[in-house]
Amino acid sequence: MSPTLAVRIATYLLVADGLAALFLAGLIGPLGLAVVGAALALSWWQEPLRARVHTRGLGAALAAAAAIGSAADLLFLADTLLDGLVHLLLFLVLARIFTLRAPGDSRVVAFLSFFMLVAASSGAFGVGFLFVFVACLLLSTWMLLLQHVLAESAPHAGRVIVGIPPQLAWGRGLLGLAAGAAAATLLITAALFFVIPRVGLAALPFRAKLGPLVTGFTDRVELGAYGQIETDASMAMRVHIPEGMGAAEEIPGLRWRGIVFDEFDGRAWTVGQPDRMAVRRSMTADFRLGGYRGQGRILRQEFYLEPIGTEVIFAAPRILRLEARAREITVDDMGSVSIAQPSARLHYIVESELEAPRAGVPDAWGFASADDPAVARYLQLPPLPARIPALAREVTAGSRSPYEAARRLNEHLAREFAYTLALERRTTLPPLEEFLFVRRAGNCEYFAASLAVMLRSLGVPARVVGGFQRGEWNPYGRYFAVRMRDAHSWVEAYFPSAGWLSFDPSPRAAAEAGRSTLALYLDALRMRWYRYVINWSLRDQVEVAVGLRRQAGNWGTWVAALRETPAPRAVWPVIALAAAAAVALVLYRGRSAPAARAARRMPRFYARALRALARRGLRPSPGETAREFCARAAAAVPGWAEPVAAITVAYERARFGALTLTAAEEAALEGSLAALARRRAG
Amino acid sequence: MNLWRRLRPARTIWPTRDGWWCLFAAMGLGVAAINTGNNLLYLLSSMLLGLVVVSGILSEAVMRGLRLTAILPEEVHAGRPALVGATVANRKRRIPSYSISLEALGQGGPGRVIYLPRLSAGDERVVTWELTLAARGRHRLPGVRVTTRFPFGVFLKAGQVILRAEVLVYPALVPVPAHLLRRIGGSGPAQTRRRGRGSDLHNLRDYRPGDDPRLIHWRSSAKTQALTVRELEAETSTDTRIVLDGTGARDPARLETGLSEAASLACHLLRAGATVELAGPGLLVPLARGRGQERRILTALALYEPRPARAGTGLARAAGREGAALREIRVGIG
């Protein structure tokens, strides 16, 4: 393959790489990708067209067309400024690649392709960007090296190439050079990326647009609305459990609590009028939301939310502390936490006190009353058919405590009813009545709503919680992969001596078969990409710095321990000899060869004259010729003009003329040297 | 000054046009990254900076370990191209040097460029180029600078200017003027007839390679159907004194012309086997013959500077008295 062809291939691959980046970011759709790809392919096979279209006025025409088209696009067509810039970028790339002539033109195309990645960086947060980035790095390195070969091979006026041309002299080593350069660049890039301080100001509006709000995580949810979500296999979030938290995958009943509903109108649950409070960040850059009660274990969770368009903070109940990149959060009296102005991808850390397993709760019936303002809204009921409370009383007959009754209802629903995502209505009955007495099948919303309503009819405060099930455990990254289909509803019931306890009546289908090892590895790679690239922050840098300093302290301790160990006596003579050898080597290398040769070529009489002049403070400057020094010495000491001139003439004759001094000349020189000595003495 | 010499960097690096684009793009991306807090922009900016760093490292790797040794010409005459050279050696044990350029600096900047695509570890290469110096006297050669744009062409790395050697440029050699040639046949004692490069005809012989084409005797060649050359009679006197007539201070152009004529005449006579002495104002090269004498005379002429008339006149008179027996040829220097 010739270097010219290789440069061309690299150029086209770079453009394809840029297009892939834009596609990953969602800045161009499949149709746009197809159109641009076709144009790219057309340009490869249209060599005659490329030769013909390069006219003197074409550049100006293209520039004018680009300016007009870009203005029109920004004003009327593009949704955002970024879209307009992307369209302009694509136009420039295609215009340039259709007019490729000199090898240097490929560099312009490479720069434009690089800026495609820049544009894509605002929205392509997936791990696919990593592969696009690495490909861009490899291709850029290769292309730049090839460009260098071609540039140096081209004939230039006044330039002679010694040996065979570069493309042959480098030969197969060129590929190795490119690979080595790319590897080195990748390592240095990684180092710089992690070291450059993160001091973002977030002032420019180049963020990606958030997706539409997902049904189910708003203040209102109708029965059956989760059906659409429960068929969605896209990723919702990843919950990383750090080391030291035990076997996280074995925690029973682990769920990610989100939004809480307390009002039911017979068809939909809504968030009533909770007391909302803004909480500001504490001095330690976190949010304190509760105190530890000493009942359940502490679980630390690190959340990486996909852009699902919700402001809700999901976490295992009950939240104690939250670390998030926000100035303030909103908390209501039901424990729901939300964050204002969420970024495209939300990353936060939560510490929670999990529910302790309980055998029973000793609270007696009648602890809650509709007149009690604290629990009244959790006993609110719409007009219900009489058979619903009757069913509740029938199932819980003989229960000695409200907790036992709740457990019986939970078990009854899980045992006697089926789980289904087919939620077609069969009658005109209210949805809850139809579920309990006709279809006897539904999704988690029906189960949760039924349990909550029946508990309320028995006088037990209850509310419905929306969130996610735990998801799939990935041991390679120690995280739960939570998908949209893991969205879930369950019930919390209140007991004075225990607080709010979770009940999940849904007989959810068995978990799907686990994914393959390769799939888990790939997903773990995505997790690390989010964790260490997308969400790399100043806090992470500080932690790394502190860790390194701690290791440095350990190193200091090790050195101190070594210093305390007495060294054998024989070591010191060896050290002395090594030091002496080093000094001798430095002194030997300090006498450079050119200086030695220069000393050998200087006649002895001239060296004597220089020494005589040096005693008077006259020394030749670096680069000063003998004649120039002679003029300077004569100007400084006019009386020395004649002898110094004679000595200089003799020096020039001896050095450049290969003159052997005759006896008479030597005598004359001795006289001149004596004159210098006499005048110095005088 | 030694401290400054040691502190001066061994190399300089300067961005090319593409290098400036790379740096500006990195800075722009850095600003954008800070403003948006987007880590991917930090990643892309780091990539550009990584290319810059790798470019510096690799260019240093190919420049390190190169040694240049000057190859200077034996004689340099004003106005005549001289072949100047250098031996380029890669002293590294394993790493080759790629894309090395030797810039032979001209008077006002870069002159000729000699490009070596690859120099293997431990390898040597001799490179030469022509250099023409216009004036006689002592000159310092412009020197040579090693540069490279390896590997990406975004930075130009240059070493210090080295091989600054001092050379003595002899006066230009010109054909001996006719009036001086006639003087070579002047009278003198101890006339003998022997083969040489005089002006009188000594004999006719067959042409041999290297003979002066001007000495071909066409009439005899036509008769004998073979090239015949005239064998000239050597000068009637082998002892010649070339006297620089004048002080040379009035007309610099005339001075240079005269010195060239004197140098040419001296070389002509010496190469013909004669003994020559050079005398002039404040200048005396005693009578001698051979290659060494030629070099001495050329050196004296190369370094000659006009002297006051009084001193010159005295020296000339002294020389005249000592060499009364020598044939004297005067060359005017204005």
Side-chain angles (χ1 to χ4, degrees):
Chain A
M1 182 188 297
S2 68
T4 305
L5 178 60
V7 166
R8 196 172 173 211
I9 291 174
T11 304
Y12 277 78
L13 289 176
L14 272 172
V15 174
D17 188 69
L19 291 176
L22 294 177
F23 182 75
L24 286 174
L27 293 172
I28 58 172
L31 179 61
L33 185 63
V35 170
V36 178
L40 199 64
L42 182 65
S43 68
W44 177 272
W45 301 107
Q46 290 298 319
E47 187 71 26
L49 177 63
R50 184 180 303 118
R52 284 199 299 268
V53 299
H54 189 79
T55 59
R56 182 170 298 181
L58 183 61
L62 285 175
I68 296 172
S70 178
D73 183 54
L74 289 173
L75 290 175
F76 305 109
L77 300 176
D79 295 329
T80 63
L81 177 63
L82 184 59
D83 290 329
L85 292 177
V86 167
H87 297 161
L88 176 61
L89 196 57
L90 290 173
F91 176 82
L92 291 176
V93 167
L94 290 178
R96 198 65 180 177
I97 207 165
F98 265 98
T99 56
L100 278 178
R101 291 180 67 86
D105 293 340
S106 297
R107 291 201 170 194
V108 179
V109 177
F111 270 110
L112 293 172
S113 301
F114 177 79
F115 282 108
M116 287 183 180
L117 267 74
V118 173
S121 68
S122 62
F125 295 117
V127 74
F129 189 87
L130 173 63
F131 300 105
V132 168
F133 171 79
V134 172
C136 178
L137 182 60
L138 293 172
L139 291 170
S140 297
T141 310
W142 186 37
M143 197 206 71
L144 288 172
L145 204 55
L146 289 170
Q147 282 271 334
H148 180 65
V149 171
L150 289 178
E152 297 294 347
S153 300
H156 298 290
R159 184 166 175 268
V160 177
I161 297 178
V162 176
I164 57 181
Q167 61 267 30
L168 298 179
W170 299 12
R172 288 178 293 179
L174 187 62
L175 198 59
L177 278 172
T185 306
L186 191 60
L187 289 175
I188 293 173
T189 298
L192 291 173
F193 172 79
F194 288 116
V195 167
I196 294 176
R198 297 297 190 269
V199 287
L201 300 179
L204 295 180
F206 277 100
R207 294 183 180 276
K209 294 170 60 178
L210 297 177
L213 290 178
V214 177
T215 304
F217 297 108
T218 60
D219 288 355
R220 174 184 172 90
V221 57
E222 290 195 13
L223 292 179
Y226 269 21
Q228 180 182 355
I229 297 177
E230 293 183 78
T231 59
D232 187 355
S234 61
M235 190 67 63
M237 60 185 174
R238 293 177 173 86
V239 187
H240 177 253
I241 309 298
E243 296 282 350
M245 292 284 117
E249 67 274 21
E250 297 176 1
I251 298 174
L254 185 60
R255 284 177 286 268
W256 316 114
R257 187 179 192 264
I259 196 167
V260 183
F261 307 95
D262 57 351
E263 286 190 6
F264 182 60
D265 62 1
R267 294 183 177 272
W269 284 90
T270 58
V271 180
Q273 299 294 331
D275 294 334
R276 287 195 167 94
M277 179 176 59
V279 178
R280 291 190 173 276
R281 189 160 53 185
S282 67
M283 296 298 293
T284 55
D286 59 358
F287 300 91
R288 304 298 179 85
L289 302 179
Y292 179 57
R293 296 174 180 172
Q295 297 177 356
R297 60 181 286 188
I298 300 294
L299 183 69
R300 182 180 173 95
Q301 319 122 66
E302 192 168 5
F303 286 81
Y304 296 89
L305 254 66
E306 295 290 317
I308 59 178
T310 178
E311 300 178 347
V312 176
I313 294 290
F314 297 93
R318 189 175 51 88
I319 298 177
L320 301 179
R321 193 172 68 90
L322 170 67
E323 299 176 19
R325 192 183 297 182
R327 293 183 179 178
E328 67 175 30
I329 59 174
T330 302
V331 182
D332 64 21
D333 59 356
M334 295 189 290
S336 298
V337 182
S338 62
I339 186 170
Q341 298 178 353
S343 62
R345 291 174 186 269
L346 194 57
H347 168 240
Y348 56 89
I349 299 173
V350 174
E351 286 184 359
S352 303
E353 181 183 7
L354 303 181
E355 288 185 19
R358 295 178 180 275
V361 176
D363 297 312
W365 290 98
F367 67 86
S369 170
D371 298 330
D372 187 349
V375 297
R377 57 194 173 111
Y378 303 116
L379 297 172
Q380 172 264 336
L381 285 171
L384 294 176
R387 51 181 175 172
I388 295 180
L391 177 61
R393 287 192 295 271
E394 178 186 349
V395 172
T396 60
S399 300
R400 290 170 294 179
S401 67
Y403 179 79
E404 183 179 352
R407 208 176 60 185
R408 286 190 180 186
L409 281 172
N410 192 67
E411 293 171 354
H412 174 76
L413 290 170
R415 181 178 64 250
E416 301 297 332
F417 293 79
Y419 195 94
T420 181
L421 297 179
L423 305 177
E424 298 84 7
R425 300 293 303 276
R426 300 177 183 175
T427 67
T428 57
L429 293 173
L432 201 60
E433 186 176 6
E434 181 177 334
F435 166 73
L436 289 171
F437 300 105
V438 179
R439 292 193 295 113
R440 301 179 68 83
N443 68 346
C444 57
E445 296 165 359
Y446 286 91
F447 282 89
S450 299
L451 178 60
V453 166
M454 286 192 284
L455 284 173
R456 288 185 175 187
S457 70
L458 296 178
V460 178
R463 58 194 186 188
V464 172
V465 178
F468 288 94
Q469 294 191 92
R470 67 168 66 195
E472 181 182 10
W473 175 250
N474 189 324
Y476 306 114
R478 284 194 61 83
Y479 63 89
F480 291 99
V482 183
R483 300 182 181 275
M484 293 304 296
R485 64 191 178 197
D486 293 318
H488 194 50
S489 293
W490 64 95
V491 174
E492 289 182 344
Y494 179 76
F495 304 96
S497 62
W500 292 94
L501 300 180
S502 299
F503 293 90
D504 188 0
S506 302
R508 195 69 183 259
E512 297 180 359
R515 292 180 293 168
S516 65
T517 302
L518 178 61
L520 292 178
Y521 267 120
L522 289 177
D523 199 78
L525 176 61
R526 292 189 185 93
M527 176 65 178
R528 290 187 176 89
W529 170 257
Y530 296 145
R531 172 68 181 87
Y532 296 113
V533 177
I534 300 297
N535 291 292
W536 183 253
S537 64
L538 183 61
R539 186 186 184 93
D540 298 317
Q541 291 174 324
V542 170
E543 288 179 0
V544 170
V546 169
L548 291 177
R549 188 172 65 179
R550 190 180 304 112
Q551 291 182 9
N554 294 336
W555 169 258
T557 304
W558 182 81
V559 171
L562 184 66
R563 188 180 296 117
E564 292 176 359
T565 305
R569 289 187 176 182
V571 173
W572 299 115
V574 174
I575 294 176
L577 286 175
V583 171
L585 180 63
V586 169
L587 293 177
Y588 173 76
R589 295 185 66 177
R591 182 181 175 85
S592 63
R597 285 199 297 269
R600 286 195 297 268
R601 296 187 61 181
M602 182 181 289
R604 289 178 55 188
F605 69 88
Y606 195 69
R608 288 173 56 191
L610 289 180
R611 286 196 294 269
L613 293 170
R615 297 191 194 100
R616 191 58 182 263
L618 294 170
R619 294 183 177 85
S621 304
E624 190 177 28
T625 63
R627 187 167 297 191
E628 292 169 346
F629 177 60
C630 173
R632 187 159 65 89
V637 186
W640 283 359
E642 184 177 348
V644 171
I647 293 169
T648 303
V649 169
Y651 162 73
E652 291 181 337
R653 290 180 181 177
R655 182 168 180 184
F656 303 112
L659 172 66
T660 302
L661 296 177
T662 61
E665 291 173 335
E666 288 182 356
L669 285 176
E670 287 296 332
S672 299
L673 291 171
L676 291 182
R678 282 198 302 273
R679 292 181 185 279
R680 177 184 63 80
Chain B
M1 295 307 296
N2 287 336
L3 181 62
W4 166 247
R5 182 181 299 173
R6 291 176 183 175
L7 291 178
R8 189 172 58 179
R11 319 214 197 281
T12 58
I13 187 166
W14 198 255
T16 62
R17 185 184 63 181
D18 291 333
W20 282 117
W21 274 106
C22 190
L23 291 174
F24 287 142
M27 292 173 61
L29 286 179
V31 172
I34 290 173
N35 277 275
T36 61
N38 187 349
N39 274 343
L40 295 182
L41 290 178
Y42 280 106
L43 185 63
L44 294 170
S45 180
S46 299
M47 173 185 166
L48 293 180
L49 295 177
L51 285 172
V52 169
V53 173
V54 167
S55 182
I57 292 172
L58 292 182
S59 60
E60 178 65 23
V62 301
M63 295 274 285
R64 188 180 295 271
L66 291 180
R67 297 290 183 267
L68 268 70
T69 306
I71 302 174
L72 298 177
E74 188 175 353
E75 288 186 2
V76 181
H77 288 271
R80 180 188 291 181
L83 201 63
V84 183
T87 301
V88 188
N90 181 4
R91 300 295 187 186
K92 297 190 289 288
R93 293 184 178 180
R94 292 184 179 85
I95 301 174
S97 290
Y98 294 98
S99 193
I100 296 296
S101 296
L102 300 178
E103 292 185 2
L105 302 179
Q107 296 297 329
R112 296 184 63 84
V113 176
I114 300 169
Y115 178 73
L116 284 80
R118 176 189 163 103
L119 193 63
S120 301
D123 200 3
E124 285 189 4
R125 192 70 58 84
V126 176
V127 296
T128 57
W129 63 94
E130 283 189 351
L131 181 67
T132 302
L133 298 172
R136 67 179 177 90
R138 183 208 53 79
H139 289 274
R140 183 176 292 273
L141 295 178
V144 177
R145 183 171 62 184
V146 180
T147 63
T148 184
R149 287 183 170 84
F150 185 81
F152 304 133
V154 296
F155 288 94
L156 173 67
K157 177 165 277 191
Q160 293 181 12
V161 179
I162 53 179
L163 298 186
R164 279 180 165 173
E166 195 175 76
V167 294
L168 184 62
V169 181
Y170 298 149
L173 297 182
V174 297
V176 179
H179 67 278
L180 295 181
L181 282 177
R182 285 194 296 271
R183 294 183 189 180
I184 294 176
S187 62
Q191 294 189 18
T192 59
R193 299 181 64 85
R194 68 173 185 274
R195 186 186 309 156
R197 294 187 62 84
S199 58
D200 295 339
L201 180 64
H202 177 71
N203 199 359
L204 295 177
R205 61 171 174 81
D206 292 335
Y207 174 83
R208 291 195 294 266
D211 287 337
D212 190 347
R214 294 178 294 178
L215 299 179
I216 295 174
H217 196 274
W218 297 106
R219 183 178 299 175
S220 300
S221 300
K223 290 181 180 179
T224 60
Q225 298 297 318
L227 287 177
T228 305
V229 296
R230 293 174 294 163
E231 204 169 42
L232 301 179
E233 187 175 307
E235 286 77 12
T236 54
S237 174
T238 59
D239 298 341
T240 305
R241 175 187 296 122
I242 300 175
V243 178
L244 301 180
D245 194 9
T247 62
R250 291 177 294 181
D251 187 356
R254 178 56 191 161
L255 169 64
E256 299 300 328
T257 302
L259 293 177
S260 292
E261 291 175 352
S264 304
L265 180 60
C267 289
H268 175 76
L269 293 173
L270 288 165
R271 290 170 189 174
T275 55
V276 180
E277 180 184 83
L278 177 67
L283 178 67
L284 176 64
V285 179
L287 190 68
R289 69 165 64 190
R291 181 68 174 172
Q293 180 68 356
E294 179 181 337
R295 189 177 298 273
R296 285 188 285 271
I297 290 176
L298 288 174
T299 300
L301 293 173
L303 298 174
Y304 178 79
E305 287 191 358
R307 291 297 188 91
R310 182 175 181 179
T313 303
L315 181 59
R317 284 198 299 269
R321 286 195 298 272
E322 293 175 2
L326 299 176
R327 179 177 59 182
E328 187 172 285
I329 299 177
R330 293 184 171 273
V331 179
I333 59 174

